[in-house]
Structure formats: structure tokens, C-alpha cells
Amino acid sequence: MAKMNFGGVIEEVMTREEFPLEKAREVLKNETIAIIGYGVQGPGQACNLRDNGFNVIVGQRQGKTFEKAVADGWVPGETLFSIEEAAKRGTIVCLLLSDAAQMQLWDTIKPHLTAGKTLYFSHGFAITWSDRTGVVPPKDIDVIMVAPKGSGTSLRTMFLEGRGLNSSYAVYQDASGHALEKVLAFGIGIGSGYLFETTFQREATSDLTGERGSLMGAIQGLLLAQYEVLRENGHTPSEAFNETVEELTQSLMPLFAQRGMDWMYANCSTTAQRGALDWMGPFHDAIKPVVERLYVSVKTGEEAQKSIDSNSKVGYREGLEKELAALRDSEMWRTAETVRKLRPENN
């Protein structure tokens, strides 16, 4: 483990230099990795593991997603099976189904989690709120997690570019005495940039907070609020969108992703510097109480229960599609379609 200074706090992380791919292959050489679910995380992790030389099979129900797996090179009856058959064949059973599907199919998968196997997750939801989900693993298996800090699509894209998406890892249950080396090997195998330790509870709590906060919920709320104020004050859709979204995503985000917000502040106009420094405080003070309420809602299980309840409702999928369609059809994101078409690379 390498000791790294994160803003004055020392953390231990695992890098590819300390745990090379060759070592990961050696640790997992006798394992059959069964990827259960080929939806969001499944394709990226399965394909990266396969390309890195691990023994991988996929379990997926028949339908469009099954056909996608076939298109990606998984062979029915050889490396592509039903969910139950893959769980039976796998020695490391990777539950990469949605949280709702994990609950629905747990009774199908659990009988195949026999002594000595390993159960793998990429999200701590089902285990953290097991009293609500019913996902309680047998005591005689290892239970581990690697949680990439991004989408499965990003994991695959960055892998193909020779880069890596950072991941957290956790051991929930170590029946074999080798769970730690397994989880680190798995993290390297899927192409992680570096690995940092967490727990199932911390990962689930931070993940739900992030999704509802700065990663999706809060950013959409902030962007929409600014766009609306500009439009209500006579600015055109193009101007409002460019000043709210396009400049942020195309110009500024790459800069502070590479160098940090401090560097970006230091390399913009003095007018921008002054205004940003003056207004970051009021925004922080207005937003932090909302984030605190959000965190409490996540930590107490209220958000998990909302998710469980909504996913179990008849007609939930249809209602969700309507909500997503309303978002897609809003003026701001319809403007985005036109702006993207006008980017130089699309002309």
C-alpha cells in the first residue's frame, strides 16, 4: 500500500505498480468469474476482465441485453448463460444487477452460493440495508466489493484508452482468509486506476449522497435555476445554455479536472476571480443545509426505502419514463441538442 497525502490527511491506496496485473492473474487463476447482469456495470467489468486474461462468464436473461452480450463476443452455452446457470458455474459470483433486480433474484442466486465461493458487489446498497432488501449472504463465503467511481461505459472507454477509473474496495466477510487479496486482484483486473479502502456502509452512503447531490440531482437543479433566471431576464436559449452548461462542460471542467479549481481560479480574468470568490460563500451556505438533510435521509435508510418502494410499484417503469421524457424535452436540454450539433467536431 502507498501512503498518500490527501489535503493533509494520510490515506493508504493500492496502485497498479504495487499490485501489478500479473499478480492479479496469479491470485485469481483458479477462479471462474461469473458476471451476473449485463446492464450498467456488467459490460465494462466483464470485457475488461476478459481482455486482461481472466476466466469470465456472463449470466443474463434473454432479451435485448442478452443480444448485446452476444454482440460483444460472449458465446451462448460457452461463456454466456442464464443467470442461474452462471451463478452455479461461477466461483466468484458478481451481482451487477440493479438494486431492485438483486432483491428480486436473490432467492434464485443464493442456493448457488455454496461454501468456499465469493460473492462480489459493485455497490453496497443490498448489504448495507439488508434488513430492507433481504440480501443476507451465507456465512461460509467471502463477500467483497469493488466500486468504480463512474459508469461502466467510462470504465470500458478509459480501459481501451490505457487509462483507469479509480475504485473503492471493501471486504464485508472473509471466510477464506484470502478475501483481501481477491478484492485487490479484482480491482486491478477490471482496470481500476488506483484503489482506496472503504466499507459497504460508507460506499452505499456516499454513493447515494453523490448521485442525489453534486453528480446528478444538485447539478441539474443548479444548472436549471441559472438557465431559468437568464431566460426570464430576456437572454436567448443559446446564450443561457452556453453561459450555464456549455462553457462549464467543454471549457472549465476539463481544466479543473486536470489542475484543480484553485488553478482554474488563478487562470481566469480578475473579474471572474472576484465574483467567484465573493459568491462561492453564499452558494455554500445555501446548499450545505440541503446536503446535510440529504445525508441524514441516506444514512437513516429513508432514501433506500424510497427506492425499494418505488421500484416495487406497479407501473413504476412507465412513470419513470415519463419523468425522464419531461427532463429530456425541457427547453434547456432540447437547446443542448442543437448546441452539440454546432460543435466544430460535428461539422
Side-chain angles (χ1 to χ4, degrees):
M1 291 284 186
K3 293 184 181 294
M4 304 296 292
N5 188 328
F6 291 90
V9 178
I10 303 299
E11 289 186 41
E12 290 187 339
V13 301
M14 183 62 75
T15 67
R16 300 186 214 185
E17 288 72 29
E18 297 167 298
F19 204 111
L21 182 58
E22 293 74 16
K23 181 177 179 180
R25 291 194 188 111
E26 179 64 24
V27 170
L28 301 180
K29 65 181 180 181
N30 296 321
E31 306 284 358
T32 298
I33 300 168
I35 302 293
I36 308 299
Y38 206 73
V40 178
Q41 280 290 333
Q45 295 198 32
C47 291
N48 289 3
L49 286 162
R50 180 181 62 186
D51 290 356
N52 271 334
F54 295 88
N55 181 25
V56 188
I57 61 175
V58 171
Q60 175 59 45
R61 290 174 287 194
Q62 290 285 341
K64 289 183 179 179
T65 305
F66 189 94
E67 295 307 315
K68 180 185 185 308
V70 172
D72 286 346
W74 303 98
V75 181
E78 294 182 17
T79 55
L80 177 59
F81 303 93
S82 68
I83 286 174
E84 189 169 7
E85 182 64 22
K88 180 180 178 180
R89 290 171 177 255
T91 59
I92 300 180
V93 179
C94 307
L95 278 195
L96 299 185
L97 299 158
S98 68
D99 295 325
Q102 287 182 26
M103 291 184 285
Q104 293 166 0
L105 294 172
W106 178 243
D107 288 340
T108 299
I109 293 166
K110 186 176 180 180
H112 302 293
L113 299 175
T114 51
K117 285 195 176 187
T118 300
L119 178 60
Y120 169 93
F121 293 88
S122 280
H123 185 24
F125 186 101
I127 293 293
T128 299
W129 293 290
S130 59
D131 58 328
R132 302 168 189 262
T133 65
V135 177
V136 180
K139 294 294 185 183
D140 53 3
I141 66 171
D142 291 343
V143 182
I144 61 176
M145 174 180 66
V146 177
K149 298 300 106 181
S151 70
T153 301
S154 297
L155 183 73
R156 182 61 176 164
T157 299
M158 293 175 74
F159 175 86
L160 293 173
E161 293 173 349
R163 300 187 293 148
L165 192 63
N166 299 331
S167 303
S168 60
Y169 72 91
V171 173
Y172 178 76
Q173 197 165 275
D174 185 7
S176 69
H178 301 289
L180 179 58
E181 65 178 2
K182 284 183 193 176
V183 75
L184 293 174
F186 209 101
I188 296 300
I190 65 171
S192 299
Y194 74 83
L195 294 155
F196 60 95
E197 189 174 13
T198 188
T199 65
F200 274 66
Q201 189 274 335
R202 291 210 321 263
E203 190 282 333
T205 306
S206 60
D207 189 73
L208 264 66
T209 300
E211 290 168 349
R212 287 149 178 76
S214 64
L215 303 179
M216 294 174 69
I219 193 68
Q220 166 64 14
L222 173 61
L223 296 176
L224 182 59
Q226 180 169 305
Y227 181 88
E228 287 175 341
V229 169
L230 290 173
R231 290 287 289 122
E232 289 160 4
N233 283 276
H235 298 269
T236 65
S238 180
E239 184 170 50
F241 185 84
N242 273 277
E243 293 292 353
T244 300
V245 180
E246 190 74 352
E247 186 174 353
L248 171 67
T249 59
Q250 301 304 299
S251 175
L252 302 183
M253 287 186 78
L255 290 179
F256 69 74
Q258 294 169 9
R259 300 289 192 91
M261 187 69 77
D262 56 330
W263 185 90
M264 193 184 75
Y265 271 42
N267 286 272
C268 63
S269 72
T270 55
T271 301
Q273 287 173 349
R274 183 70 269 144
L277 289 167
D278 287 346
W279 278 94
M280 69 180 185
F283 273 110
H284 168 271
D285 294 346
I287 293 167
K288 188 173 181 181
V290 179
V291 178
E292 288 173 335
R293 292 201 306 273
L294 165 59
Y295 189 81
V296 169
S297 184
V298 171
K299 192 170 183 179
T300 59
E302 183 179 345
E303 292 299 311
Q305 193 62 53
K306 286 179 183 178
S307 178
I308 292 168
D309 291 345
S310 61
N311 280 319
S312 63
K313 288 180 179 177
V314 176
Y316 168 69
R317 178 59 58 181
E318 292 77 7
L320 177 64
E321 289 301 329
K322 288 181 180 179
E323 289 184 86
L324 293 175
L327 181 63
R328 182 176 61 249
D329 294 337
S330 65
E331 184 188 272
M332 184 168 74
W333 294 116
R334 283 190 287 112
T335 298
E337 294 178 7
T338 303
V339 172
R340 285 195 295 270
K341 290 176 184 176
L342 292 170
R343 289 175 186 164
E345 65 268 23
N346 294 326
N347 292 311

